[in-house]
Amino acid sequence: MKPLHLTAKLGQWTRYLLGMLILLGFLAGWLLAISAAIELNKINSARGWPTRQAEITHSYARQLRSFQSRAYWHAEIAGKYVDDGRTFGVSRHAYGIENSINTRGAAEIVVKKYPVGMRLAVYPEPGNPRRAILDPRAPTTLTWVTLLGGIGLIVLPFALHIYGRLRARKQRSGSVTAA
């Protein structure tokens, strides 16, 4: 095999792999953008929910297993409403990608923030007071960065296509004027 032929083949494979990476990035961009938009919608909704006074009755870090048998940590927090004594559970202390707990350290930080016996205003889900959010005003910086990164990955193939067309047009017009 001639060295030039080998170089050409290597270039073809490099372009093919780069194209596949761009396609995978495009698909990942949709996943990131959609999940971040859902989280931002939940955050916006929760900020408008009415509050109720409550007392934390359970607060501990617990290791769970996913459907793929992967271990992750969760802050198990529950309490009761002060006004009527009904109980509630907290599936997440706050919405937002940065508030998705999966490590032991992060779960223990949340548990320390909401100890047993603490009285606070909670935000019960409308229509389902057995579930509540503890902090709808948590920071959303990482969620916004995720949304913008996802949009960037979606736009990247189109931007590269436009760049390539403009570059080709510029090269054609440069070769026509040179001739």
Side-chain angles (χ1 to χ4, degrees):
M1 202 179 275
K2 295 179 183 177
L4 289 176
H5 182 69
L6 186 61
T7 306
K9 279 286 193 195
L10 186 61
Q12 286 176 338
W13 275 102
T14 303
R15 286 190 296 279
Y16 173 77
L17 290 174
L18 187 60
M20 292 305 293
L21 286 174
I22 291 170
L23 177 63
L24 289 174
F26 176 77
L27 297 174
W30 278 104
L31 181 66
L32 291 171
I34 290 170
S35 62
I38 289 170
E39 286 297 312
L40 288 168
N41 185 38
K42 287 179 184 179
I43 290 167
N44 191 38
S45 295
R47 289 180 176 174
W49 294 349
T51 62
R52 288 179 71 180
Q53 287 299 312
E55 181 179 343
I56 303 295
T57 58
H58 297 81
S59 183
Y60 57 93
R62 181 175 129 180
Q63 187 178 29
L64 302 170
R65 296 228 172 251
S66 69
F67 68 93
Q68 296 174 334
S69 295
R70 291 188 180 172
Y72 67 96
W73 287 83
H74 181 70
E76 295 286 333
I77 300 173
K80 64 180 179 179
Y81 296 112
V82 175
D83 57 358
D84 63 5
R86 287 186 175 172
T87 60
F88 67 90
V90 176
S91 59
R92 290 175 63 184
H93 76 286
Y95 291 125
I97 291 174
E98 56 269 8
N99 297 308
S100 300
I101 300 169
N102 61 3
T103 64
R104 183 178 187 168
E108 288 174 350
I109 288 170
V110 172
V111 166
K112 286 179 185 174
K113 186 176 178 182
Y114 301 104
V116 172
M118 179 182 191
R119 286 190 174 227
L120 72 159
V122 298
Y123 299 78
E125 285 185 11
N128 187 7
R130 294 187 55 82
R131 290 183 51 164
I133 294 294
L134 302 177
D135 186 10
R137 305 236 185 280
T140 59
T141 306
L142 186 59
T143 307
W144 280 104
V145 168
T146 303
L147 177 67
L148 295 175
I151 291 171
L153 286 172
I154 292 168
V155 171
L156 179 66
F158 301 106
L160 290 173
H161 177 72
I162 291 169
Y163 173 74
R165 302 242 346 188
L166 291 173
R167 187 172 161 204
R169 183 182 297 163
K170 187 176 181 181
Q171 285 177 347
R172 277 193 306 257
S173 67
S175 65
V176 169
T177 57

